[in-house]
């Protein structure tokens, strides 16, 4: 039958041939044109109502003459000459879907100024990782022989796997990537300790939280802006838990929650020669990104969860909704939210500042960090920024493609194999199929059950994401 695929197969495959796909594309394009025309007509009618003269003024003969030329006037067209009463087209700046231009926050916009000051303060965090004395202290703490041995072994296995494929592909990860992965395992399993409620130092009995207290002078000197106070349930003694931000102090205490874990681990990655980012999330979580020279891209690393290259962990695994994910490094700051939020149901409203102000702040931090670099180094970083921006935009395209594919009956299984990792065969180096299996996307592992449930990071929301009715009920 005409319009059906001649490829042998089941009836489902015959119903959706090449001609059917072409017709569907044409219908979609026509619908998109109609929508754009409708939006344009609405904008024209709105401007016509706003800019139309009063009734008495409209009737005067002077208004029927062509307006005098002004710097803002536009050349008339043959259509405009035959329709003198039609309003002028809107200016380009009023059209939607144009690239945003970085814009400084308005003087009266206190919320944007507050957010800008916060980001400028957070941008100082990775600069502490460049202290030579601190890095030497860190190297003395790390069991380098063990780390390098494990990295060499894993690197050899990856090379052997790539060679066994016989198609000339390169290994999935390079040696330096394997060094960071070995460091991640050691840090999680042997070095750092997670703290829920610290035990009583006198009798080692459980403690109960009693709120916050003021830091002492010594605690403040080590970057503790707040101190949690706990009371022993057995002897009645008190235990203080300072939330240190000083990385040297964390090398001594070796305990904390996600803030301390990410801060200390990022510095250790820097100590072994990696380029690192400290990633801040507005919904109270932080983690690390490490640059893979082998794959020429930034890789997600979460020391708390021992997670490597799993950016969908927080949304698909924890069921977390996020608004801002900002990566800070010694070279600047980048809004990497699109790497971690791929679906609209996982996105929270971004209302801290307008998006054009957000672009301005990111560029401002980059300019501050790169002002003393050479021209060649700045050019290299700009090329790297452009490549990452294409990667982040690629995630948006892939998300839309997958959503449209699911709407076509019987196309999910056939399209899954066509959307494999494009970076493996040359070309783009980002991954569009980094969706993990359900077993690889558990709820949060670090922290006790009550603490995780209070933060809504136990994955319960995510368990309902395929039920449209449940997803609607989840939002108040």
């Amino acid at each position: 039958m005409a319009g059906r695929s001649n490829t042998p197969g089941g009836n489902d495959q015959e119903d959706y041939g090449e001609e059917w796909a072409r017709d569907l594309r044409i219908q979609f394009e026509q619908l998109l044109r109609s929508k754009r025309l409708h939006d344009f007509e609405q904008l024209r009618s709105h401007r016509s109502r706003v800019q139309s003269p009063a009734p008495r003024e409209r009737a005067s003969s002077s208004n029927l003459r062509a307006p005098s030329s002004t710097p803002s006037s536009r050349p008339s067209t043959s259509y405009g000459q035959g329709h003198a009463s039609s309003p002028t087209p809107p200016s380009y700046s009023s059209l939607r879907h144009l690239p945003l231009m970085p814009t400084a926050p308005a003087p009266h916009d206190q919320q944007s100024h507050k957010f800008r000051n916060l980001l400028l303060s957070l941008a100082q965090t990775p600069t502490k990782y460049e202290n030579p004395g601190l890095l030497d202290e860190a190297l003395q703490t790390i069991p380098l022989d063990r780390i390098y041995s494990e990295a060499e072994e894993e690197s050899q296995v990856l090379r052997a796997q790539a060679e066994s494929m016989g198609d000339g592909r390169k290994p999935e990860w390079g040696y330096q990537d394997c060094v960071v992965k070995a460091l991640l395992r050691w840090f999680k399993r042997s070095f750092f300790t997670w703290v829920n409620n610290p035990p009583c130092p006198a009798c080692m009995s459980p403690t109960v939280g009693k709120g916050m207290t003021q830091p002492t002078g010594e605690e403040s000197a080590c970057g503790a802006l707040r101190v949690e106070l706990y009371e022993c349930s057995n002897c009645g003694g008190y235990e203080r838990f300072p939330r240190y931000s000083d990385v040297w102090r964390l090398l001594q205490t070796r305990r904390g929650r996600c803030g301390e874990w990410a801060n200390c681990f990022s510095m250790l990655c820097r100590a072994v020669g990696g380029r690192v980012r400290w990633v801040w999330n507005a919904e109270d979580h932080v983690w690390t990104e490490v640059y893979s020279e082998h794959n020429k891209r930034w890789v997600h690393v979460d020391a708390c969860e021992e997670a490597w290259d799993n950016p969908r962990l927080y949304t698909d695994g924890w069921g977390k909704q996020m608004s801002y994910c900002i990566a800070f490094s010694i070279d600047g700051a980048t809004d990497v939210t699109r790497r971690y939020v791929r679906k609209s149901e996982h996105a929270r409203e971004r209302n801290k500042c307008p998006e054009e102000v957000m672009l301005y702040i990111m560029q401002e931090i980059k300019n501050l960090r790169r002002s003393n670099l050479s021209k060649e180094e700045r050019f290299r970083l700009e090329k790297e920024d452009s490549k990452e921006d294409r990667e982040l935009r690629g995630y948006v395209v892939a998300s839309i493609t997958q959503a449209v594919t699911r709407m076509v009956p019987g196309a999910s299984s056939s399209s899954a194999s066509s959307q494999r990792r494009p970076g493996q065969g040359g070309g783009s180096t980002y991954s569009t199929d980094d969706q993990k299996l359900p077993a690889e996307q558990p709820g949060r592992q670090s922290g006790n059950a009550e603490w995780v449930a209070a933060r809504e990071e136990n994955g319960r929301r995510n368990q309902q994401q395929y039920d449209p009715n449940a997803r609607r009920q989840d939002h108040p």
Side-chain angles (χ1 to χ4, degrees), residues 1-10 13-20:
M1 180 183 294
R4 309 294 189 199
S5 174
N6 295 327
T7 304
Q13 295 296 330
E14 294 179 358
D15 291 340
Y16 304 104
E18 294 182 359
E19 186 173 347
W20 175 85

Side-chain angles (χ1 to χ4, degrees), residues 136-155:
D136 289 341
E137 180 75 15
L139 288 175
Q140 295 178 14
T141 305
I142 302 172
L144 294 175
D145 290 343
R146 168 184 169 180
I147 298 299
Y148 291 146
S149 175
E150 291 182 8
E152 180 62 31
E153 181 178 350
E154 182 177 7
S155 179

Side-chain angles (χ1 to χ4, degrees), residues 87 132 137 194 197 246 269 285 315 360 371 373-374 408 472:
E137 180 75 15
W194 183 270
N197 288 18
D246 182 79
C269 290
H285 189 51
T315 55
Y360 175 85
S371 59
L373 298 180
S374 64
V408 181
R472 295 294 184 270

Side-chain angles (χ1 to χ4, degrees), residues 137 140-142 186-187 190-195 244 247-257 260-261 264:
E137 180 75 15
Q140 295 178 14
T141 305
I142 302 172
W186 166 79
F187 187 87
S190 305
F191 184 71
F192 227 69
T193 303
W194 183 270
V195 174
Y244 292 119
V247 190
W248 183 88
R249 184 62 175 168
L250 293 177
L251 288 176
Q252 318 305 318
T253 62
R254 302 185 183 185
R255 68 173 190 170
R257 300 198 190 106
E260 292 87 350
W261 280 66
C264 189

